[in-house]
């Protein structure tokens, strides 16, 4: 599959183009130079041909360590691509700053497409002048805002590519990783996927998008989703903060398993997230990260505290993403949930449980669906079951079927 990567200075419109081509609805286009950090890839269809398209962080004005890490990550991905789209902003006052990027990508000997965006802001002569300054003859001139030249661009992208079959990766489960900023979420995914794909840094708020990676385990393919750290409500101030949080909560909604990464102790914020995950009826695994920097008594304290919040149906593990510690236990928990997909609850056992609950005039217990495991209880309509009795029946069924570690829902009809 041909890999196309969009590169350019900050704020030239790379993410807008990416979202336009991939028809992403959940766009995180922000008029804020340097918003995108991790490269975001998406398998997309352009004129019935399949490509992997990647959006990257803007290049230029690197100041901090994190800026340099971001740029290194971008260049690593550029080297792995087949076609490079270099995007230039027609209104850029410092055009010559593109020369460095231009010279470097030329040396890579890849297919390059030069795009000038925001052309509605300039006239033909000014556009010609841009080409002269940058010493490029052939450009595709577009305006994403005014929808000019897009068809022409799509035509050029697909012209020399052969049609390939649709690629439908079948994911066993979607797993998303959530937690406070700086908890070690991206580090954990890098360890699980045995890559350095995601940018990690001690600056809280490093990850800014939902980033999907592939995680293979025992012959199964999982989609693993990194999310921006969820800040405390009182610290959510800017528009960006709000988008970041929305991204994280969206990831929870589309996942089967949520790994909540906590750092030092379980905070009120973590408890709020746990409640939200439970409300969404998702399987929860709590990973207490950075256990390498905690002493035994710290670990004991956390262990005691966490037991108050993590009830029987959920589980937790102590890990160190940095030193690869405890990950096998985390994987065991994932597999336990995965294997449960296959478990067929014995019909006779359900009949047996129904009989044991005869005092509640239950006619039958049916399995509605497996993810999350949902039972429907049919009872005599005239018979009233109180809230406390429902709670008792629920825990009775869970105990009898030995499904304590699985997220379960019971509907009374
Ligand atoms: N000591 C120690 N440090 C860790 C561990 N896991 C991650 N770190 C460090 O913690 C910092 C944050 O890690 P990230 O993986 O970027 O954290 P994140 O949760 O993705 O952060 P945001 O994207 O900002 O929300 C980095 O400096 C990591 O090297 C760990 O197990 N032990
Ligand atoms: Mg991160």
């Amino acid at each position: 599959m041909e890999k196309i990567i969009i590169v350019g200075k900050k704020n030239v419109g790379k993410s807008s183009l990416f979202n336009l081509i991939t028809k992403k609805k959940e766009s995180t286009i922000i008029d804020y130079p340097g918003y995108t950090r991790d490269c975001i890839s998406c398998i997309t269809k352009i004129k019935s041909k399949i490509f992997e398209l990647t959006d990257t962080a803007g290049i230029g004005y690197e100041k901090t360590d994190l800026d340099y890490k971001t740029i290194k990550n971008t260049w690593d991905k550029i080297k792995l691509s087949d076609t490079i789209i270099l995007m230039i902003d027609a209104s850029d006052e410092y055009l010559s700053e593109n020369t460095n990027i231009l010279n470097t990508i030329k040396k890579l000997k890849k297919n390059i497409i030069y795009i000038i965006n925001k052309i509605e802001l300039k006239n033909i002569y000014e556009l010609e002048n841009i080409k002269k300054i940058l010493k490029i003859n052939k450009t595709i001139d577009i305006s994403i805002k005014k929808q000019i030249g897009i068809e022409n661009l799509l035509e050029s992208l697909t012209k020399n590519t052969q049609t390939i079959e649709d690629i439908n990766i079948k994911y066993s489960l979607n797993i998303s990783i959530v937690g406070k900023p700086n908890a070690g979420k991206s580090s954990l995914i890098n360890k699980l996927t045995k890559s350095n794909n995601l940018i990690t840094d001690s600056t809280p708020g490093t990850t800014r998008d939902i980033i999907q990676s592939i995680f293979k385990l025992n012959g199964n393919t999982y989609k693993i989703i990194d999310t921006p750290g969820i800040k405390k409500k009182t610290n959510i101030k800017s528009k960006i903060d709000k988008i970041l949080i929305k991204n994280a909560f969206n990831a929870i909604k589309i996942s089967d398993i949520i790994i909540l990464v906590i750092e030092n102790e379980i905070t009120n914020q973590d408890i709020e997230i746990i409640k939200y995950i439970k409300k969404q009826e998702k399987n929860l695994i709590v990973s207490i990260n950075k256990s390498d920097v905690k002493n035994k008594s710290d670990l004991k304290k956390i262990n005691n505290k966490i037991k108050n919040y993590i009830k029987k149906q959920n589980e937790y593990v102590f890990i160190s993403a940095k030193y690869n510690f405890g990950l096998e236990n985390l994987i065991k928990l994932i597999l336990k949930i995965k294997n449960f997909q296959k478990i067929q609850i014995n019909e006779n056992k359900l009949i047996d449980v129904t009989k044991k609950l005869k005092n509640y005039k239950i006619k039958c217990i049916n399995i509605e669906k497996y993810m999350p495991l949902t039972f429907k209880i049919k009872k005599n309509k005239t018979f009233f079951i109180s809230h406390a009795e429902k709670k008792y029946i629920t825990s009775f069924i869970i105990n009898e079927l030995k499904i304590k570690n699985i997220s379960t829902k019971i509907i009374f009809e």
Side-chain angles (χ1 to χ4, degrees):
M1 186 180 359
E2 187 175 331
K3 290 187 163 92
I4 305 177
I5 193 159
I6 311 170
V7 299
K9 283 173 61 179
K10 296 186 198 305
N11 217 27
V12 295
K14 296 180 295 299
S15 300
S16 305
L17 179 66
F18 178 82
N19 288 336
L20 179 88
I21 297 178
T22 58
K23 300 185 184 73
K24 261 180 105 183
K25 284 186 209 87
E26 271 308 315
S27 57
T28 40
I29 312 162
I30 294 179
D31 200 11
Y32 167 93
Y35 176 78
T36 308
R37 263 202 202 123
D38 281 279
C39 294
I40 303 172
S41 298
C42 182
I43 294 172
T44 189
K45 212 182 229 179
I46 312 176
K47 293 191 173 293
S48 73
K49 292 175 181 175
I50 311 277
F51 296 87
E52 184 190 280
L53 187 69
T54 301
D55 183 23
T56 62
I59 301 175
Y61 295 114
E62 287 74 42
K63 289 189 199 95
T64 63
D65 267 3
L66 179 53
D67 292 339
Y68 282 105
K69 271 188 200 173
T70 305
I71 266 9
K72 187 183 172 302
N73 187 277
T74 298
W75 282 110
D76 287 348
K77 301 265 160 62
I78 293 174
K79 284 175 195 152
L80 294 172
S81 301
D82 307 298
T83 296
I84 303 167
I85 296 180
L86 175 63
M87 220 170 163
I88 296 148
D89 182 339
S91 63
D92 189 349
E93 288 174 23
Y94 306 97
L95 265 181
S96 57
E97 284 170 0
N98 287 288
T99 316
N100 265 347
I101 311 174
L102 226 142
N103 290 340
T104 318
I105 58 174
K106 270 186 188 160
K107 280 189 204 135
L108 297 174
K109 304 244 172 297
K110 307 220 178 223
N111 181 29
I112 306 175
I113 296 177
Y114 300 101
I115 292 184
I116 303 181
N117 185 29
K118 312 190 191 176
I119 57 164
E120 82 280 9
L121 302 173
K122 297 283 162 182
N123 63 36
I124 295 177
Y125 306 106
E126 287 168 323
L127 292 176
E128 278 307 312
N129 204 28
I130 293 175
K131 290 182 207 173
K132 253 189 227 155
I133 295 172
L134 295 176
K135 299 193 184 75
I136 41 178
N137 326 324
K138 201 167 168 265
T139 60
I140 298 175
D141 302 341
I142 64 166
S143 163
I144 298 174
K145 200 170 175 183
K146 302 275 176 200
Q147 293 279 314
I148 305 168
I150 308 297
E151 191 55 31
N152 190 14
L153 167 64
L154 299 183
E155 202 66 57
S156 320
L157 286 177
T158 48
K159 196 167 60 195
N160 298 320
T161 312
Q162 287 176 347
T163 313
I164 56 165
E165 291 295 309
D166 250 309
I167 298 183
N168 258 330
I169 303 173
K170 194 155 175 12
Y171 295 106
S172 300
L173 288 176
N174 291 347
I175 304 172
S176 65
I177 314 284
V178 300
K180 282 192 317 188
N182 217 36
K185 301 177 290 300
S186 307
S187 306
L188 173 60
I189 298 183
N190 280 345
K191 283 285 154 45
L192 289 173
T193 57
K194 299 189 177 65
S195 76
N196 271 325
N197 223 4
L198 302 172
I199 303 169
T200 62
D201 195 78
S202 55
T203 313
T206 301
T207 306
R208 292 186 155 168
D209 292 279
I210 288 184
I211 301 160
Q212 305 187 353
S213 309
I214 287 175
F215 166 46
K216 289 194 168 150
L217 196 62
N218 289 1
N220 291 306
T221 307
Y222 298 81
K223 189 189 276 179
I224 190 156
I225 304 167
D226 194 12
T227 64
I230 302 176
K231 276 189 179 181
K232 270 191 193 163
K233 271 193 194 126
T234 46
N235 291 342
I236 301 172
K237 292 189 178 103
S238 65
K239 186 179 158 194
I240 293 186
D241 284 345
K242 284 185 189 139
I243 293 173
L244 297 186
I245 307 281
K246 196 171 147 232
N247 280 349
F249 282 104
N250 280 343
I252 294 178
K253 283 190 198 148
I254 60 164
S255 298
D256 306 295
I257 300 177
I258 321 294
I259 300 179
L260 170 66
V261 181
I262 68 171
E263 200 179 335
N264 293 314
E265 57 164 343
I266 187 154
T267 61
N268 289 341
Q269 163 87 350
D270 294 318
I271 295 162
E272 288 281 310
I273 303 172
I274 291 174
K275 280 187 190 156
Y276 180 81
I277 296 168
K278 283 187 179 174
K279 208 171 152 205
Q280 297 285 322
E281 295 161 359
K282 306 288 181 177
N283 295 290
L284 168 71
I285 300 172
V286 177
S287 292
I288 302 117
N289 191 30
K290 307 196 185 180
S291 34
D292 54 292
V293 289
K294 294 175 190 109
N295 59 35
K296 271 193 178 158
S297 92
D298 286 341
L299 292 176
K300 210 171 169 187
K301 260 189 226 157
I302 300 174
N303 198 23
N304 288 337
K305 192 168 177 196
I306 207 161
K307 278 185 181 158
N308 295 328
Y309 302 102
I310 311 294
K311 297 276 155 49
K312 284 175 190 164
Q313 289 186 20
N314 307 304
E315 297 215 21
Y316 62 96
V317 271
F318 284 91
I319 63 162
S320 164
K322 191 168 181 176
Y323 296 103
N324 232 334
F325 159 82
L327 297 201
E328 63 288 354
N329 291 333
L330 174 63
I331 287 172
K332 268 188 208 158
L333 293 186
I334 296 172
L335 287 176
K336 208 170 176 179
I337 296 170
K338 161 79 187 102
N339 289 337
F340 192 77
Q341 270 188 317
K342 289 188 234 147
I343 292 179
Q344 292 298 317
I345 290 176
N346 189 318
E347 292 272 330
N348 291 336
K349 186 74 200 163
L350 275 179
I351 294 169
D352 190 38
V353 176
T354 313
K355 277 184 193 155
K356 286 184 182 163
L357 289 166
K358 66 175 185 292
N359 287 351
Y360 299 97
K361 305 264 189 277
I362 287 174
K363 286 188 202 157
C364 65
I365 305 171
N366 294 324
I367 296 171
E368 186 86 342
K369 57 179 180 178
Y370 272 87
M371 199 53 98
L373 183 62
T374 310
F375 296 96
K376 196 175 241 179
I377 297 186
K378 281 198 182 133
K379 62 169 180 62
N380 190 327
K381 284 222 167 69
T382 53
F383 190 79
F384 175 76
I385 299 181
S386 70
H387 183 68
E389 284 168 333
K390 281 182 183 169
K391 259 182 130 174
Y392 168 76
I393 294 169
T394 302
S395 69
F396 184 82
I397 294 173
I398 289 169
N399 272 326
E400 285 285 311
L401 299 176
K402 299 190 177 60
I403 49 171
K404 279 184 204 165
N405 299 320
I406 305 296
S407 159
T408 314
K409 189 181 172 189
I410 300 193
I411 304 167
F412 288 83
E413 237 186 25

